Amino acid sequence: MDKELQIYNTLSRKKELFTPLHPPLAGLYVCGPTVYGDPHLGHARPAITFDILFRYLSHLGYKVRYVRNITDVGHLENDADTGEDKIAKKARLDQLEPMEVVQYYLNRYHKAMDALNVLPPSIEPHASGHIIEQIRLVKEILDKGYAYESEGSVYFDVPKYDKEHKYGILSGRNIEDMLNTTRELDGQEEKHHSVDFALWKKASPGHIMHWSSPWSEGFPGWHLECTAMSKKYLGDVFDIHGGGMDLIFPHHECEIAQAVASTGHEGVRYWVHNNMITINGQKMGKSLGNFITLEEFFTGNHAMLAQAYAPMTIRFFILQAHYRSTVDFSNEALQASEKGLARLLEAYENINRLEAKGSGVKDEIGVLESNCYRAMNDDLNTPIAISNLFEASRIINSSISGQTTVSGEDIDSLKKLFETFLFDLMGIKDEMKDGGASYESFAKVVDLLLDMRLQAKQSKDWATSDKIRNELTALGFEIKDTKDGFEWKLNK
Ligand code: ZN
């Protein structure tokens, strides 16, 4: 079977066959969160996108070293070289140690990622734990002549680098345009050119996070951490660097410049970027009132949400779009995903009810399986893979209703198709089954209550029988009396 993954490389602007530098090892570095606020939808998409890549590469037999950093220093408010550090600001406002802010939101981030069934990376390094590596990298760039010191800070000399190596290859921006559109420096500033970026910043008197360096008591620039940490854990050249499209410029562009300036060559072989999420067609933002945290989605506790959405609904919804397309959240779209996922999970459950009746649909299932692989190999096309699972559901349902016959081998292949693609690769789990107590024990308790209700009815204890029925109904159970006893299902 063809299992050759073609992945879209933002740098070459085309799909390329993935061939790791040191097979069977595959190195994957993804820019992780800046932890100064509750995890929201914007965190879910890159986490899920690269979780799929991580799962698929592992499935293909690669030994993946997946590094996802925690930005806990140096990310200034306006994404440039000025403004307050986002974590330090939160710490100041809440009267906390910066690391208390980091730990608090990191715990919440991990909890949300667990709920979304995002696998933990192999290494999760903190920028603040790698100051020595970052200082060493600044020295290397200074030694190579691509940076300069100014008033205790160190800046990357973008025009000088551009002359020799071309700055802007990832984003397609060009330095003349950037110089034309950015304001003129007023001569008071430390930077030589408006396009230069900080490698090291001298801490101002009120700045609470700072370390000693040869240049000043200060802190590293935001872009530096990823270059330093990817180099440390994956080497000077590694396979895949991922992140959201919003990071292409300036963050990843600066990472390329830092790597080339320090080593003389590029460090990343495939640049992979996920597209953004909008809410009802608008960009998500605190000022627009459409900023929804993951916890608010899970509890339904937000004015814009018509109901609570299970983590798997969010995950499935994100996977129903290709990672390079935009995703627009709306109640209607999420409700449609919720129904779609329920249909797939029900079809999977129904496989257990299928009876082997001789001649089967081996060829059709074989086609669906190779379609799923073809979709995943084609730049992780999860929506196409999902549509093939819906096709498989149709086979299952038509076999249940007696229109199709399946063989024992077909039943096994259908099971394997769902287990491989829906559960192992898409990372969907049946929340009803996996939510702490098993579904089986949960179902037994409901059966027990309904048995008690049946006995109460037989002894004409209407009060008890009604109480059980009413309370279960209020909890969302639909109960149907049948000639053999009862049937129930949970509607939520
Ligand atoms: Zn980064």
Side-chain angles (χ1 to χ4, degrees), residues 51-64:
D51 185 51
I52 300 295
L53 181 58
F54 180 32
R55 285 168 185 265
Y56 194 53
L57 289 173
S58 307
H59 178 79
L60 295 181
Y62 296 114
K63 197 168 155 14
V64 188

Side-chain angles (χ1 to χ4, degrees), residues 168-195:
I169 52 170
L170 185 69
S171 59
R173 297 193 191 203
N174 116 14
I175 189 165
E176 280 75 40
D177 294 344
M178 284 186 257
L179 285 167
N180 287 338
T181 52
T182 47
R183 71 191 163 80
E184 285 281 303
L185 294 178
D186 57 14
Q188 305 271 321
E189 295 191 35
E190 301 164 356
K191 283 192 209 180
H192 294 174
H193 322 94
S194 56
V195 285

